[in-house]
Amino acid sequence: MNKVVLMGRLTRDPEVRYSQGASQTAVARFSLAVQRRFKREGDADADFINCVAFGRQAEFAEKYFRQGMRICISGRIQTGSYVNRDGVKVYTTDVVVEEQDFCESKNSAGQQMGGYADNGYQPAPAYSGRPAPSAAAGDGFMTIPDGLEEELPFA
């Protein structure tokens, strides 16, 4: 089984190109800085993972993803090689994105990154299907609407 799940911050805006041929396909390349859970003294704090997305995934990345955003992806590892201009064989490892999603709210990301207004970020429409947290409570818990207890399977 070849399955990868990563959560990290985009190191740059996705770079999107289109394949040549009768049916042009969008190809997005980006890099994720993935925080290491444990580290030895002198080791890096994060790994930088190259990712590639195709088609609609690539178009989504181009439209909504910006440098510094925390995202979560799942996909598969793909290795390859090519000969560079100097005649040296170069080996590559990329994660081919199958699923991708945002991992933080616009507000928390905006505070961390200094706001999205500067780079034209527009969030994707999202709906969780849950009521918003109660602002009056102030304790982080949401208020359960009246009559919802009957619908809960564990009540």
Side-chain angles (χ1 to χ4, degrees):
M1 180 186 309
N2 182 356
K3 189 72 171 177
V4 176
V5 177
L6 298 171
M7 181 172 60
R9 294 203 179 271
L10 291 161
T11 61
R12 65 183 192 277
D13 289 353
E15 179 182 312
V16 179
R17 296 187 179 174
Y18 289 84
S19 65
Q20 297 177 351
S23 62
Q24 293 185 342
T25 302
V27 179
R29 293 191 173 277
F30 54 89
S31 179
L32 279 182
V34 179
Q35 194 74 24
R36 289 187 179 174
R37 185 171 239 173
F38 304 104
K39 71 171 196 128
R40 294 186 190 145
E41 193 169 323
D43 280 355
D45 290 339
D47 292 304
F48 298 90
I49 313 292
N50 293 322
C51 303
V52 61
F54 297 96
R56 289 186 181 205
Q57 297 283 6
E59 292 167 356
F60 182 89
E62 178 181 35
K63 188 172 183 178
Y64 297 112
F65 289 173
R66 296 290 175 259
Q67 178 179 354
M69 291 178 70
R70 180 179 286 160
I71 65 168
C72 184
I73 65 163
S74 65
R76 61 184 167 81
I77 292 180
Q78 180 173 292
T79 59
S81 65
Y82 64 94
V83 177
N84 68 10
R85 294 178 185 165
D86 300 328
V88 177
K89 192 170 192 174
V90 178
Y91 295 93
T92 62
T93 302
D94 294 312
V95 173
V96 177
V97 176
E98 295 168 354
E99 295 180 48
Q100 58 193 4
D101 209 347
F102 301 100
C103 286
E104 63 188 351
S105 69
K106 177 183 172 189
N107 290 340
S108 65
Q111 291 170 358
Q112 182 127 6
M113 294 169 41
Y116 288 126
D118 299 340
N119 62 12
Y121 168 74
Q122 292 294 322
Y127 175 70
S128 67
R130 290 179 274 160
S134 170
D139 57 4
F141 291 98
M142 70 175 123
T143 304
I144 298 175
D146 292 335
L148 187 64
E149 288 83 13
E150 295 88 34
E151 296 178 28
L152 297 175
F154 50 83

